[in-house]
């Protein structure tokens, strides 16, 4: 399994075939930024998940360090289902020679759930149990517009960087609908995939945040519920609209990774997921070097290593990498 790679193997992998190719080095840095950013936002936000902004201020003032605790009583730096489901999605890609099928995604998530994750959302659980009982890997259209498909989507963005838009959309919705099937969830998850890719590609062109927010603006125009400018959003629930409004406001108002993540998690509510989504987008934009060193030091070592290994493996399979 990729997760068993040693640190020395990981270091060797990071140098393989890219030391003389600056463009590939840049892709690797920004792919790692996306996966590490996801984990950092998850670990940072887990401490204050389900607290209100007022409760956060009372307990921590401004919550700005990875300290563990929270309702799950996590050790400092431990990640939750947001990150570990992304790991399962990464393995669905990396352990298959070809693009995963719906059933491949479902089996990866089923294996993940059998490993007794520290947390699991009700909608995710229902989708996986349905697959176990029926073999059906696509949920029927429902009224449940949760954020559990969006929180794990970073691997799709990396492995399909540079792929045709219809290929990206098919893969994005295929993994999402194992557990979530709603037009708002579909739209938001595809938007986040597009934002991660825009962050990676736009950083090279000097366009940066502008290209990232262009995707957010498209979402808000097509689905006005997602409009994020105006009144500050706080205490978001697991409803994808609440989640995305908080995330998009934080990205829109902050030009660096740290300030965006601090803003989003201090809004409280489903803070591990808002942190994870904002983290993957801002990490893709700023790259590994743009992540706070103190947060990286405090991140769980196994999670850190797996983020590196999966990011490297996924980006090397991408069309963008192959063209360089």
């Amino acid at each position: 399994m990729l997760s068993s790679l040693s640190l020395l193997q990981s270091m060797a992998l990071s140098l393989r075939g890219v030391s003389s190719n600056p463009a590939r080095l840049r892709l690797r840095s920004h792919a790692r930024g996306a996966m590490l950013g996801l984990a950092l936002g998850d670990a940072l936000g887990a401490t204050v998940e389900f607290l209100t902004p007022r409760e956060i201020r009372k307990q921590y003032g401004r919550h700005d360090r990875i300290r563990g605790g929270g309702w799950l009583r996590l050790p400092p730096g431990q990640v939750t289902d947001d990150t570990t489901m992304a790991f399962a999605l990464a393995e669905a890609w990396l352990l298959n020679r070809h693009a995963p099928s719906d059933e491949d995604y479902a089996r990866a998530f089923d294996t993940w759930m059998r490993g007794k994750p520290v947390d699991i959302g009700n909608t995710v659980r229902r989708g996986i149990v349905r697959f176990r009982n029926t073999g059906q890997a696509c949920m029927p259209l429902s009224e449940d517009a949760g954020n559990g498909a969006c929180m794990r989507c970073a691997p799709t963005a990396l492995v399909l960087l540079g792929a045709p838009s219809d290929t990206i959309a098919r893969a994005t919705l295929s993994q999402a609908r194992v557990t979530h099937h709603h037009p708002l969830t579909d739209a938001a998850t595809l938007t986040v995939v597009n934002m991660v890719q825009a962050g990676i590609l736009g950083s090279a062109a000097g366009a940066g945040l502008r290209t990232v927010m262009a995707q957010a603006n498209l979402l808000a125009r097509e689905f006005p519920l997602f409009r994020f400018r105006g009144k500050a959003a706080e205490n978001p629930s697991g409803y994808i609209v609440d989640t995305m409004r908080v995330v998009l406001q934080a990205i829109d108002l902050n030009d660096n990774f740290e300030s965006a993540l601090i803003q989003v998690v201090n809004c409280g509510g489903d803070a591990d997921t808002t942190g994870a989504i904002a983290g993957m987008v801002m990490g893709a934009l700023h790259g590994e070097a743009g992540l706070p060193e103190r947060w990286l030091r405090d991140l769980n070592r196994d999670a850190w290593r797996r983020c590196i290994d999966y990011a490297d493996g996924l980006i090397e399979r991408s069309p963008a990498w192959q063209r360089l």
Side-chain angles (χ1 to χ4, degrees):
M1 297 287 288
L2 286 171
S3 57
S4 66
L5 287 174
S6 70
L7 180 57
L8 288 177
Q9 287 174 311
S10 177
M11 292 172 63
L13 182 64
S14 70
L15 297 174
R16 189 185 67 205
V18 297
S19 58
S20 61
N21 190 325
R24 283 186 167 181
L25 281 171
R26 185 189 59 77
L27 284 185
R28 174 160 286 166
S29 168
H30 289 265
R32 289 181 174 187
M35 289 299 293
L36 288 167
L38 158 67
L40 290 174
D42 181 8
L44 184 71
T47 303
V48 294
E49 186 181 12
F50 301 141
L51 297 183
T52 67
R54 178 176 294 181
E55 289 168 335
I56 295 170
R57 288 192 295 270
K58 182 177 180 180
Q59 291 189 43
Y60 303 108
R62 184 180 72 158
H63 175 53
D64 61 0
R65 66 182 179 88
I66 293 176
R67 65 183 89 213
W71 76 276
L72 291 169
R73 300 181 181 179
L74 299 174
Q78 184 173 341
V79 295
T80 76
D81 54 326
D82 299 67
T83 303
T84 57
M85 282 207 86
F87 291 165
L89 180 57
E91 290 188 353
W93 278 96
L94 295 175
L95 298 178
N96 284 282
R97 294 183 61 187
H98 305 290
S101 65
D102 295 0
E103 291 75 19
D104 290 327
Y105 294 127
R107 280 190 289 270
F109 297 149
D110 184 33
T111 299
W112 165 81
M113 193 167 85
R114 291 181 190 277
K116 300 187 185 305
V118 67
D119 186 27
I120 182 169
N122 290 330
T123 306
V124 168
R125 185 188 300 277
R126 282 196 297 271
I128 296 172
V129 169
R130 181 175 182 271
F131 170 71
R132 287 181 185 176
N133 292 337
T134 68
Q136 296 178 17
C138 180
M139 287 290 284
L141 190 66
S142 76
E143 297 299 315
D144 190 341
N147 58 21
C150 189
M151 70 187 189
R152 64 188 186 228
C153 70
T156 304
L158 301 185
V159 76
L160 293 179
L161 186 70
S165 59
D166 59 338
T167 300
I168 296 168
R170 279 197 305 272
T172 297
L173 300 185
S174 179
Q175 76 82 15
R177 289 175 179 173
V178 173
T179 55
H180 295 69
H181 191 172
H182 189 282
L184 295 177
T185 295
D186 288 351
T189 306
L190 184 57
T191 293
V192 171
V193 167
N194 290 337
M195 290 175 77
V196 170
Q197 293 189 338
I200 296 174
L201 298 175
S203 64
L209 191 60
R210 185 173 71 252
T211 59
V212 170
M213 293 310 301
Q215 297 296 325
N217 291 326
L218 284 173
L219 176 68
R221 282 199 293 273
E222 185 173 358
F223 295 92
L225 283 172
F226 288 107
R227 288 176 180 165
F228 53 92
R229 294 195 173 104
K231 183 179 178 181
E234 287 190 333
N235 201 27
S237 70
Y239 177 42
I240 191 63
V241 172
D242 290 348
T243 296
M244 288 297 291
R245 290 190 66 242
V246 166
V247 167
L248 297 179
Q249 281 186 350
I251 295 173
D252 191 39
L253 296 174
N254 295 276
D255 60 2
N256 70 81
F257 181 93
E258 183 174 345
S259 62
L261 268 288
I262 290 172
Q263 176 175 326
V264 81
V265 301
N266 279 275
C267 290
D270 200 3
D272 60 333
T273 298
T274 57
I277 297 171
M280 70 176 79
V281 174
M282 294 300 281
L285 177 62
H286 292 286
E288 186 179 13
L291 307 180
E293 290 185 11
R294 72 185 192 284
W295 289 357
L296 288 171
R297 285 194 302 268
D298 290 337
L299 186 63
N300 173 274
R301 288 297 88 186
D302 179 66
W304 173 86
R305 185 179 66 250
R306 293 179 73 181
C307 285
I308 295 292
D309 293 339
Y310 291 139
D312 290 355
L314 291 163
I315 201 65
E316 285 189 11
R317 285 191 57 171
S318 72
W321 179 279
Q322 299 302 323
R323 287 196 286 266
L324 294 175

